[in-house]
Amino acid sequence: QAQLVESGGGSVQAGGSLRLSCAASADAFSLRCMAWFRQAPGKDREGVAAHYRYGGYTYYADSVKGRFTISRDNAKNTVYLQMDTLKPEDTAMYYCAAGPCDKDYASALGTYYYNVWGQGTQVTVSS
């Protein structure tokens, strides 16, 4: 059964950094896309960053471009999200996801093509 387990969330002051990790089962890690989504209270879940395994394409939401970096360690079946220069508006529950997305921005950062989800890890950024 495909599984994803996130870790690395926590509380940090604005301007700080965190690195989230997503440990994936072999089934999940074999899917075309791995991504990070986030959901703040009262808001829809939004795509933050995605990695398309064939060619290593990466996609980022405009709100995090230049501050967040998604990476993939094939030896460890793990995907990371390095978050730098954090802002209070980055506060949310962050979810790792895997699925057969297409190689385009809308598909990679939309929830439709993701069928494996982790339980989430909370990130809180204080001003």
Side-chain angles (χ1 to χ4, degrees), residues 34-79:
M34 299 287 294
W36 288 94
F37 290 79
R38 67 186 181 187
Q39 188 166 20
K43 294 189 176 181
D44 292 336
R45 190 169 296 189
E46 63 170 348
V48 173
H51 183 284
Y52 185 86
R53 65 177 300 180
Y54 301 111
Y57 295 91
T58 56
Y59 305 89
Y60 296 94
D62 289 343
S63 58
V64 306
K65 200 172 294 182
R67 300 188 298 121
F68 290 11
T69 304
I70 188 170
S71 61
R72 177 186 177 114
D73 186 333
N74 292 331
K76 297 182 178 180
N77 279 16
T78 300
V79 173

Side-chain angles (χ1 to χ4, degrees), residues 2-4 22 24-37 49-54 59 70 72 79 95-104 107-118:
Q3 288 186 323
L4 300 170
C22 173
S25 65
D27 286 350
F29 206 68
S30 68
L31 297 172
R32 284 201 297 270
C33 289
M34 299 287 294
W36 288 94
F37 290 79
H51 183 284
Y52 185 86
R53 65 177 300 180
Y54 301 111
Y59 305 89
I70 188 170
R72 177 186 177 114
V79 173
Y95 298 90
C96 181
C101 80
D102 293 327
K103 193 180 68 177
D104 65 82
S107 172
L109 292 183
T111 59
Y112 181 81
Y113 286 100
Y114 290 89
N115 52 6
V116 184
W117 292 85

Side-chain angles (χ1 to χ4, degrees), residues 6 93-96 118-122:
E6 304 97 335
M93 185 71 78
Y94 282 70
Y95 298 90
C96 181
Q119 293 300 307
T121 185
Q122 177 68 36

